[in-house]
Every structure is written in structure tokens, then in C-alpha cells.
Amino acid sequence: MYTLSTLLQRLPNVSQARLISSGYGLWMVWSGSFNNAVGHTLRDHGLVQLVDDPCQSFWISFTPEVFRALAKLQIWSRLNPLPLFCQVVPITALVGYDLGITVSISRDLTRQQAGVAEDLETLVHPKFIESVKNVPGLSLGTAITMQGLSASGWMPLVADQGLDYESPTNWYGVIRPLGRLGEREAIAGWRAFFSEVQGVFQRLGIHYLADDALGFVIFPLENYRQLRMYCVEISTLLNELKATQRAYWPCVFAIMEQKGMGFSMDLPNRFSLDWNRLTPDFLHMHYRDAFTLLDNFKVNEISYGGDQENLDSWCNVSFRGEEGQGAQASIEVPLPRRWLAGTGKECFYCGLKNHAPAQCPGRALPPFRADIWRDMGQVNLDDMGQTFKGLDEPTDSARFVQQVSGLLKGNGNAESVLLRGMFSTVAPCQLGMLPVLPRIKNREWPVEPEQLLPEEPWPIREAYNILLAGDLEKAKESVRAVSAKQGRSFEAACLEGFISLESEDPHMAQFYWQEAGRIGPSTVQQGYVQFLQARLHETAGEFKDALTLYRQVRTGSPRWFEPAYREGVCMVKMGFTGQSLEIFGDLVMREPPLFNRILLDTEIDRGRVHVLSGLREPWRDAQAKAEEVGKRVEVLLKELPQWFDEDHEFRKPGLDHLERMNALAGVENFVAFREVVRGMDGFFQEMQKQIDEEIKRIKDRVMLYAERLRDVQYEAGWFPFPKLLRDFNRDFNYCVKRINWVMTQPLRMAGNFRTARRNLPELEERLQGLSKRLVSLRIVRDSTLFAMLLGKNFIWMEVVGLALALLTIPVLLFYSAKVANNWLVDGILAQKWAFQKGLIFLVTVFSLGLASLRSVMTFEKKKKELFEADAERRAASKKSGKTPAKGKPAAAPKPAAPANPAAAAKPGAKPGAKPGAKPPAKSPAKSPAKAPAKVGGRK
């Protein structure tokens, strides 16, 4: 047994329906493989399969053709066994805003269960009694009950075997080539294309009528099968010709049910279509017919089908074949279709057809609107569609103007942002640009606000304000009064042109703008009035003249994107979307905000599907690059704090920029995609520059620290008591270890980079501490040196003094003994030991005093000779590139052989080396580890 509810659960969920219609549902249950002949029969009568399982399926039909199809199956089953259970149930078809179809069925019917019948069994709901009776040859049998089915009184379908039950539904098809068939290019292109179409007509057996004067080809389509085959064949042909650029010419296609209309050349006038607004290369038909083609085609809405949609509203279909994927993969931004459904002329200021230029809500918007497109670049594509869906409601002209004017004054909400963008697609043609013209100092467009001259009194300001207020006659009188007093001016002629335009006199508007062009003082102002005249031709449907003027403006201002953009819009309005894609594709790559303008532009509605399909490729490329960059942004958001500490000047602005780029990376918008890629390109370079500069700064500081450490070691190497330098040695060896680590580690890793930066302050602090301690060491060193010099001088002076005393005293005594009564000799001889002691004391005191005096006088000279000579040897050693040997330190330094100044401060030195060490003269010990680089970065 099979349950209907399990099948219907697979249908899409439509939360809000745009179309609702009653119809016929067909539930089928079978065993084994499905007989394809059954499917072909149902499709030949316009049924659409919504969902299927291996042994059951559900079809819908909007017409009673389902009964003719089942009657055919009954007649066929008489000759061919067909184990198939069929049940026709009443349904309500719901079409969502994405044009997906689902059904609503009463609960008691969805709970039904059915098994496979031994032969074809067809049951019909009693609600369809009248529908069956209206089909000749069909009737319903007596109501029956079956286990598992609802108690609704199901009746079997009875068919007369003498009838063929062919579908009476038929259509007329129309093909109309674009362009002026009086031109040679259009004639040649259309003839080449129609020769290909004739091959399709011959294969399908279609007869046609062609009128070269009116430019229409009319032909009948007899049944659903022929309709389906024609649509598939012509779509395949179009895709092939466009891909190979062979014999292609843009045309519009329409199909409409005959309903008693005669086959004549005036048929196109009875289609109730504006042929100039149909999208080229798409098949236009009613929703009722389009849904019968869902197996091979995608249904698309059009924006000019009237206020109230139903199954008889117009739509178009695009082929789901391989070559047709581009069309169905277009970017989806549905504009408010009821705003586009006006039947009047295009508004000069905005392009909509539901109001006159004098009523346009965007006529007085400010002239410079870069902020609008900047805000637009941060709006998601889905949010655009949802916002426009909320605005899509029927309204008359007066209410529309009032509603839009209120939204345009809004601040920050999505509706105001989108509407400002929609009413800014033709910003140069709006009144807000007129007061700017006298202040322009450029020689060509574009003009930025920063490039304007200071504002001065404007003679026609009053007339301009009166025009904005809507009093056309008074505005005309005011501007003419000013012209009578001060003479004719460029701005006055422009203003009179706008007054004539809003008075619905385009010929006079063109006259005044031509006059303004003749008296315009600069090429900028002349290009402006040329742009206005081109826009005037564009809104009048004179696209050739408009293109000529737009190209003239572009020649005078080649950097201005507006004329090129209007050229692309004119090509779309003419139906030549292929040529417009070349223009739009180039523009969006040079100026990304123009992508959003294309999305909002109501004037490209004719080729909107083609244009957005053609822009899908740059969208995908930008999206892919933005996704890739977005992943790098997420990584950098985590890595940047690892590279830079909170006190680093780059950290805060860098994190702010990354957070902004991360937010943009999540926005589905072409401008956001390009902004993320562009912003991060510069950021990567800046961050790398900061890292390189910081690494250089770290290495420079470390090299400076190494030099300072060498000086500290050299100074400390002269300290005579190295065992007393325990704390000094600890700090010294810490500095050596850190310097070696910084100079040997790869600093382009975030962890090493940040650790190196954090080590610098402590290195600086410890070096300062070593320098302070070095003052005490210098005092001890100098004191020791002075004591040694004093001792040296004292000893030799003492020896010399004593020697002289020993030599001179005996001689004096010998010669003094010959003198009689010599009391001095007698006294010395009497007190000879006391005399000797006194003499020794005197010699010692004299030697000590003389040694002290000599030491003081020669101390500085000796110190300089000793230390500076060694410093000069160190400098010469560095300059020659020779590194003094490193070895085990001696117990105490000798002035004649000063300590090695670089051993402990070089990479690879022993962390425990003492700064007071001096290398021996012979057999220096090797470094315990060969460092890859020396201090200063030398390998």
C-alpha cells in the first residue's frame, strides 16, 4: 500500500503565494518500472509531473484535459495490459514568488492509501462530475468504496471507445525581428536567421505567414506536443546560433492560445502585448501554458503584466538544456513589478512609466550621490529582493509619488537606500545638477564636489526654486525676467528646457537645450546639454539619435562613465543585449558600483534576464576571490594579535580594518566583493611592511645591544676578582643567551616575532643594570691599577733609596772620622742602630711620597696606554674581520694581555662564560656549538 501524504511531503513549501488557482490532481500508483507511454500521453494533454517515487507519482492540470488523457489510457489498456491505479482529486495550486509550484489538498485525501491495480483503474472525485460531462464521450460510473480511500464517493471514469479524445487546445505563435528592417544590416541578419527557423518549421510541419513590411512571422501550433517540440527546437537553435555567432539575429517570440481567433496578419495586435518591451530570445506565453513546459523550461516573470497576476498573465520561459543554463543562472533581484507596469512614456528623470516628469519624486535629489552607491555596496542581494517584494503593491500615480517621496526622505532603512539608488540611475539629467553648472572649473566630466568653485549668488535661483515647487508658468516668467535684465545665459536656457520638459513639450525642451549648447562657455557645459538631448531622444524611443549624442559626449569626456552606461541601456531597449553586455562588462570591472546600478535600473527590464545572466561570470569571479580573501581575513584576525602587542601602533587600526573587511566578506554584493579584495591587497602589503620594519628594528637594536655587551665584557674583563661577579655574570649570560636566540631564530614566525619584541625591554633593562654595576667595577679596576702603579714606584724608589743610603753613609763616616771632635760621627756611632732605623724610615717615607706623586702624575697616561691600545687592537681586529679566539677564561686579567672582548657576546658562546675571562695565548678552545650566524647577522 502506498500513502499519498508521503509523496506530497516532498513538494516545496510556499510560505507566500503569488498565484493561487484551483485545478486537477492525478495520483498514480503502479508496480515495476513506469510505462513511458503513460507519461507521454499525460504531457501531450498539458499535465505537469510535480513529484514521483519509484512506484507512485503526482501530476496536476489546470484544465479538464486530464480526463481526455485518462480516456486515451483506458482505450489503450484494452489492447495492452496496464496495471495502474489513477485517482483524480481536487487541488489548489500555489505558485510562490520563485515560481515554484506546490499543492494544497484536504487532509482526508492526503491520508489515503492505495495498492497496485491488476488493470487500469481510474477513479474521479464527485466534485468533477460537470467537468467530465462537458467532455464528449466521457461519463462517470456508480460510486464505489475501496479500503484505504476516503469516503468521498469515488466514481470510475467511463470512456466511449469510438472517440480519439485528441486535445482541442491550440495556439498561435509570433516571431518579430528587432531593428529597422529598412536597414541593410537588419535585412541581412533577419534573412539569415529566418532561413534557420524555416528548417525548424519544416521538421515540425508548421505552416506560417510572413509579412516583411510589418516584420512579423505568424504560425499555428496544433497541440501540446507540437508546442513542446517547437519550444525545445527554437530554444536549441537560438543557443547554438548565439554560441557559434552564425546567422543569429535578435527576435522576440510570443505564443497565445487561439480561442477562436482567425489566422491573419493582424494577430499580433490582438495579443495585448507591447512588442517593444519583450525580452529577446525568450518565449513569451501565459503562465497556464508555461507551466506545462516545466520539465524542460524554467518559468520567468515579466514586469509589465498588469496589476493583478493570474494564470492568464504573461511570462517567459528559458530552456533548461546545457546551453540554456546561463539564462537560468542569472542573478535574481526581482524589482517591484507593479511599479514597472505603467503604460505611459518613460519619465525623463527616472525611467518609470507610472508618472510624468513633473511628478517624479527623484527630480530634486542632490547632484552628488556617491554615498548612495557606497551604502548600496553593503546590502545583500537577498535583502534587495525582500525589500522590493515588500514594496510591490498596486498603487495609483498620486499615491506612488507620495509613498516614494516619504521613503526617499527616510534615513538609513533598507527601503530608502534602495529607492535612492533606483532614482539615481539618471542622476545627471535631474534638476539637482543645474545649480552646480556655474561652479564647475573642470574641462571635462566627471566632476566631484571638491572640484567646484565657491558658491556665488545665482541670478535664476528664484526661478529654479519656483520650478521645484511645481509652478511652471511662474517659473518661466521669472527666468525670462532675469534674461531681459541681464541677457541670455546658459543656465537660463537650460532651465527653460526643463520647464518645457515638465510642461510635456519635448520639442521646445530640445530647442532650449540646443540654444544652451550654442552659448555654453565651456566644453563641460556643452557636453551636459548634449547629454540632456540624448536622454530626450532615448525617452522618445529614438535610440539611434540618442546613441549618436551619447558617443559625442563620451568623446569629449572619455573618463565619464555615464554616456557609456546610457549607450548600454539604449542597446538593451533596442533588444541588442549582446552588444550591451560588452559595454556593461567593461564598466563594472572599471567602476564596481555600476553593477548595483544595473541591478536597480528599471529601464533595462527588456533584457534584464540576459544582462544579469551575462554578468554572472564577473559576479562569480569576484565572489570566489572574496571568499578566498575572507578566509585569509579570518586567519589574520587571529594571527595579528599574535604578531603585534597591544601597545604597537599598527595593532588597533589593523584589527579595525580586518573587522570591517570581515563584515564586508559576508555581504553578497559585487561592490563588497571587490572592496574586500582591494582592501586586503593593500593591507597585506602594509602588514608585511610593518613586520619587515619591525624585524629590522629588532635586529638593529639587538646588534646595538651586542656591541654594548661587548663593551661591558671588555670593561669587566679587567676586574681583578672575577669570583665576586656572580650576579653580574648571571645578568651578562642572560643577555648573551637572549641575543643569540633572537639572532638565530626565524623572526617571520608570529611566535618568534612577538617573543623577540618582548625580550627587548628586558634586555635593555639588564644592560642598563650591567652598565650601572660597571661604574663600581671601573672604580675597583682603577683603584687596583693605581695601587699597582704606586707599589711599583714605591718598591723601586725604596730599593734605590736604601741602596744609596748604604753606599753614602759608610763613605761619609770614613771621611768624617779624620775630622777631630766630630760630634756628628760620634753621635752616629754611639746610636748607630737607632740611626739606621731612622734612616730607613726617612727613606721609606720619602720613597712613598715620591712614588705617590709619580703615580698620580702618570696614572692617566698609563691607563690610556694600557686600555686604549687594547681598544685599538680590538677595532683593528673587527675591521679586518678576524674574530679573536674564544676559550676558557683565566683567573685574572693581565694588562699586557687584555681579555677577549667578544667571546661571550657572540652566538654560540657558552652561556656560563664569565665576563672577566681572558683567552689564553695558545690553543684556544672551540665554541661548544657552531652558530649559524654571528652577532650583527653575518653568516
Side-chain angles (χ1 to χ4, degrees):
M1 299 291 285
Y2 298 93
T3 306
L4 179 58
S5 60
T6 60
L7 193 63
L8 297 180
Q9 286 176 355
R10 295 174 50 192
L11 290 174
N13 182 30
V14 175
S15 58
Q16 187 176 3
R18 69 186 300 168
L19 292 176
I20 300 176
S21 176
S22 59
Y24 306 84
L26 175 61
W27 179 32
M28 297 194 304
V29 179
W30 65 89
S31 62
S33 59
F34 183 67
N35 194 326
N36 291 328
V38 176
H40 291 316
T41 302
L42 297 177
R43 291 186 179 90
D44 288 346
H45 286 267
L47 272 76
V48 182
Q49 179 177 292
L50 293 187
V51 64
D52 67 316
D53 264 348
C55 292
Q56 59 176 338
S57 63
F58 192 82
W59 300 63
I60 66 168
S61 174
F62 297 105
T63 65
E65 287 296 304
V66 60
F67 300 116
R68 286 190 173 89
L70 292 175
K72 271 190 175 181
L73 292 178
Q74 277 195 355
I75 296 173
W76 188 70
S77 67
R78 302 292 175 86
L79 303 175
N80 303 278
L82 188 62
L84 181 66
F85 170 79
C86 299
Q87 185 185 53
V88 183
V89 299
I91 64 166
T92 300
L94 306 175
V95 180
Y97 277 89
D98 60 349
L99 297 178
I101 302 180
T102 188
V103 296
S104 175
I105 305 177
S106 61
R107 187 181 296 268
D108 60 327
L109 296 180
T110 59
R111 294 174 178 174
Q112 294 184 112
Q113 294 181 336
V116 180
E118 296 181 358
D119 200 357
L120 178 64
E121 186 171 3
T122 306
L123 300 180
V124 180
H125 194 276
K127 182 179 178 179
F128 299 135
I129 294 176
E130 294 299 324
S131 299
V132 173
K133 288 182 179 180
N134 291 334
V135 180
L138 291 184
S139 61
L140 295 175
T142 307
I144 62 174
T145 58
M146 291 181 60
Q147 183 180 0
L149 300 184
S150 66
S152 300
W154 301 96
M155 293 177 286
L157 181 68
V158 180
D160 187 348
Q161 297 185 24
L163 300 178
D164 58 3
Y165 298 104
E166 288 294 331
S167 174
T169 310
N170 46 25
W171 300 264
Y172 284 126
V174 176
I175 303 177
R176 183 189 179 187
L178 299 180
R180 298 177 181 177
L181 293 183
E183 298 176 355
R184 180 180 301 177
E185 182 184 2
I187 293 174
W190 163 241
R191 286 180 178 174
F193 177 72
F194 186 60
S195 64
E196 301 287 342
V197 176
Q198 284 177 315
V200 175
F201 287 166
Q202 291 175 2
R203 288 194 297 273
L204 301 181
I206 296 175
H207 302 283
Y208 64 89
L209 289 177
D211 189 330
D212 293 337
L214 297 176
F216 286 101
V217 175
I218 307 168
F219 52 93
L221 297 170
E222 303 297 338
N223 49 56
Y224 279 103
R225 177 177 294 181
Q226 195 174 47
L227 169 67
R228 182 183 300 274
M229 292 178 66
Y230 162 74
C231 293
V232 171
E233 289 274 350
I234 204 69
S235 298
T236 304
L237 175 65
L238 284 169
N239 291 327
E240 178 184 347
L241 296 181
K242 289 167 70 175
T244 60
Q245 295 296 319
R246 174 179 59 86
Y248 168 74
W249 187 258
C251 302
V252 293
F253 301 82
I255 300 170
M256 184 175 179
E257 195 172 346
Q258 292 185 12
K259 292 184 178 179
M261 290 189 297
F263 188 46
S264 62
M265 292 307 300
D266 65 339
L267 268 175
N269 298 327
R270 289 183 274 171
F271 270 39
S272 300
L273 277 174
D274 184 354
W275 294 93
N276 293 323
R277 300 182 68 181
L278 297 187
T279 304
D281 305 337
F282 279 69
L283 300 169
H284 293 75
M285 60 188 71
H286 292 153
Y287 279 113
R288 187 186 307 277
D289 301 320
F291 287 135
T292 65
L293 305 174
L294 276 178
D295 293 338
N296 301 106
F297 290 87
K298 178 181 180 293
V299 181
N300 308 303
E301 68 170 339
I302 59 177
S303 302
Y304 44 87
D307 288 340
Q308 187 61 43
E309 281 187 310
N310 52 52
L311 289 178
D312 291 323
S313 298
W314 287 93
C315 66
N316 62 47
V317 296
S318 52
F319 193 41
R320 293 185 188 272
E322 181 179 355
E323 296 297 329
Q325 289 297 323
Q328 66 172 333
S330 63
I331 304 166
E332 299 288 345
V333 180
L335 298 178
R337 63 183 305 277
R338 291 186 176 91
W339 288 16
L340 311 179
T343 57
K345 293 183 179 180
E346 285 184 352
C347 174
F348 181 87
Y349 298 128
C350 69
L352 294 178
K353 296 188 175 184
N354 57 0
H355 62 271
Q359 301 171 331
C360 183
R363 61 197 284 269
L365 288 173
F368 300 106
R369 307 174 197 175
D371 57 330
I372 294 176
W373 301 114
R374 184 174 58 250
D375 294 340
M376 277 294 305
Q378 301 179 11
V379 180
N380 274 309
L381 214 62
D382 293 339
D383 295 340
M384 291 186 194
Q386 292 296 327
T387 302
F388 281 134
K389 186 186 296 184
L391 297 173
D392 195 4
E393 58 183 23
T395 180
D396 55 20
S397 177
R399 186 183 171 195
F400 168 81
V401 172
Q402 183 180 4
Q403 177 189 10
V404 173
S405 298
L407 290 173
L408 288 175
K409 295 176 183 177
N411 236 347
N413 55 351
E415 291 87 353
S416 64
V417 171
L418 293 182
L419 287 183
R420 286 190 188 122
M422 181 182 290
F423 284 92
S424 297
T425 55
V426 204
C429 295
Q430 295 172 359
L431 285 171
M433 184 61 68
L434 193 56
V436 176
L437 296 177
R439 303 170 54 196
I440 295 176
K441 60 182 178 180
N442 297 41
R443 294 186 176 181
E444 62 179 43
W445 295 91
V447 177
E448 300 297 334
E450 300 80 10
Q451 300 171 329
L452 298 179
L453 295 171
E455 190 171 359
E456 296 180 354
W458 193 32
I460 61 171
R461 171 68 68 180
E462 183 180 356
Y464 175 77
N465 292 334
I466 294 173
L467 175 60
L468 290 181
D471 194 340
L472 302 180
E473 291 299 326
K474 190 175 179 181
K476 186 183 295 185
E477 293 175 2
S478 178
V479 71
R480 289 184 177 177
V482 174
S483 298
K485 289 181 180 180
Q486 302 183 4
R488 200 67 171 159
S489 66
F490 170 80
E491 292 87 3
C494 288
L495 186 59
E496 284 204 70
F498 281 109
I499 294 172
S500 299
L501 172 73
E502 296 193 6
S503 301
E504 299 184 359
D505 191 353
H507 296 292
M508 286 305 298
Q510 184 176 4
F511 168 78
Y512 285 121
W513 287 335
Q514 287 175 346
E515 178 189 359
R518 287 190 294 268
I519 63 178
S522 67
T523 54
V524 170
Q525 294 169 337
Q526 292 169 3
Y528 171 72
V529 292
Q530 281 183 335
F531 193 89
L532 294 180
Q533 294 174 65
R535 175 64 177 169
L536 201 60
H537 286 297
E538 180 187 344
T539 55
E542 300 165 355
F543 301 118
K544 293 286 185 182
D545 298 332
L547 286 172
T548 301
L549 287 172
Y550 282 135
R551 286 165 185 164
Q552 290 179 8
V553 177
R554 186 153 59 95
T555 302
S557 300
R559 296 186 297 110
W560 198 24
F561 297 119
E562 294 291 342
Y565 181 81
R566 298 316 307 173
E567 284 184 51
V569 174
C570 286
M571 299 302 294
V572 172
K573 290 180 178 180
M574 295 169 66
F576 296 92
T577 52
Q579 291 85 339
S580 71
L581 278 175
E582 297 179 6
I583 298 174
F584 289 145
D586 177 64
L587 286 177
V588 299
M589 298 308 295
R590 294 162 57 195
E591 191 71 8
L594 290 177
F595 195 99
N596 287 331
R597 183 183 296 193
I598 294 172
L599 293 179
L600 301 182
D601 199 337
T602 59
E603 297 186 63
I604 65 170
D605 188 66
R606 182 177 194 179
R608 182 176 181 79
V609 178
H610 274 155
V611 171
L612 296 187
S613 174
L615 294 177
R616 184 71 179 180
E617 194 63 29
W619 168 276
R620 284 178 173 173
D621 291 343
Q623 187 181 40
K625 292 178 181 177
E627 288 178 355
E628 180 181 353
V629 173
K631 294 177 182 177
R632 296 173 66 185
V633 169
E634 292 179 356
V635 173
L636 283 177
L637 275 171
K638 299 177 181 178
E639 287 187 355
L640 190 137
Q642 299 174 4
W643 280 99
F644 303 102
D645 292 320
E646 294 182 358
D647 60 340
H648 197 280
E649 59 182 6
F650 183 73
R651 173 166 171 155
K652 187 178 186 306
L655 284 176
D656 292 343
H657 183 79
L658 287 176
E659 289 171 357
R660 186 168 64 254
M661 291 296 105
N662 191 40
L664 278 178
V667 177
E668 289 291 314
N669 191 296
F670 184 80
V671 177
F673 296 155
R674 292 290 298 272
E675 180 66 20
V676 168
V677 176
R678 185 190 64 82
M680 291 310 298
D681 279 345
F683 183 82
F684 292 143
Q685 296 172 1
E686 180 64 23
M687 182 173 174
Q688 192 61 44
K689 180 181 176 182
Q690 290 287 335
I691 293 174
D692 292 343
E693 291 179 353
E694 194 66 30
I695 289 176
K696 184 177 182 301
R697 193 179 299 117
I698 290 172
K699 289 187 175 181
D700 289 345
R701 290 183 64 183
V702 168
M703 290 175 65
L704 180 63
Y705 293 158
E707 291 297 326
R708 289 172 59 185
L709 198 61
R710 289 192 188 101
D711 294 339
V712 168
Q713 185 217 14
Y714 173 74
E715 295 287 342
W718 292 94
F719 187 70
F721 312 110
K723 293 184 178 180
L724 301 179
L725 301 178
R726 181 176 301 173
D727 293 339
F728 189 92
N729 285 337
R730 183 193 64 217
D731 291 344
F732 180 88
N733 289 326
Y734 173 85
C735 294
V736 171
K737 181 179 179 182
R738 290 302 178 190
I739 290 174
N740 283 330
W741 185 90
V742 171
M743 298 306 295
T744 56
Q745 293 298 316
L747 296 184
R748 294 195 178 277
M749 296 175 61
N752 293 343
F753 176 84
R754 193 171 182 184
T755 303
R757 287 193 76 251
R758 289 179 173 177
N759 285 337
L760 294 182
E762 189 171 0
L763 272 173
E764 176 71 24
E765 182 181 353
R766 297 223 181 187
L767 278 172
Q768 288 180 357
L770 290 174
S771 298
K772 291 179 181 178
R773 294 179 187 175
L774 201 59
V775 175
S776 302
L777 296 183
R778 286 196 186 103
I779 294 174
V780 175
R781 180 199 68 183
D782 293 349
S783 301
T784 304
L785 178 60
F786 182 81
M788 293 174 67
L789 289 175
L790 178 63
K792 175 184 175 183
N793 292 330
F794 171 74
I795 290 172
W796 71 261
M797 287 183 181
E798 178 77 5
V799 171
V800 170
L802 291 176
L804 290 174
L806 290 176
L807 291 175
T808 56
I809 294 301
V811 172
L812 289 173
L813 291 176
F814 175 77
Y815 286 105
S816 299
K818 296 178 180 183
V819 179
N821 300 319
N822 190 335
W823 60 271
L824 179 62
V825 173
D826 295 340
I828 293 173
L829 292 174
Q831 300 291 333
K832 56 183 179 181
W833 295 114
F835 177 78
Q836 289 178 356
K837 293 179 182 179
L839 181 61
I840 293 172
F841 176 76
L842 289 174
V843 170
T844 301
V845 171
F846 179 77
S847 298
L848 182 61
L850 190 61
S852 299
L853 180 61
R854 179 177 175 80
S855 297
V856 170
M857 295 176 64
T858 61
F859 175 74
E860 291 296 331
K861 182 180 178 181
K862 290 291 185 181
K863 187 172 72 170
K864 288 181 180 179
E865 288 177 357
L866 184 63
F867 296 128
E868 288 185 4
D870 192 64
E872 289 176 1
R873 286 194 296 272
R874 289 178 62 229
S877 175
K878 291 179 183 178
K879 189 173 182 180
S880 63
K882 296 180 180 180
T883 305
K886 299 185 288 284
K888 185 176 180 181
K894 293 182 179 180
N900 178 13
K906 285 178 178 278
K910 292 181 180 180
K914 299 180 181 179
K918 182 180 82 72
K922 298 180 180 180
S923 302
K926 294 184 178 180
S927 172
K930 292 184 179 180
K934 298 180 179 179
V935 173
R938 296 190 299 273
K939 295 267 183 156

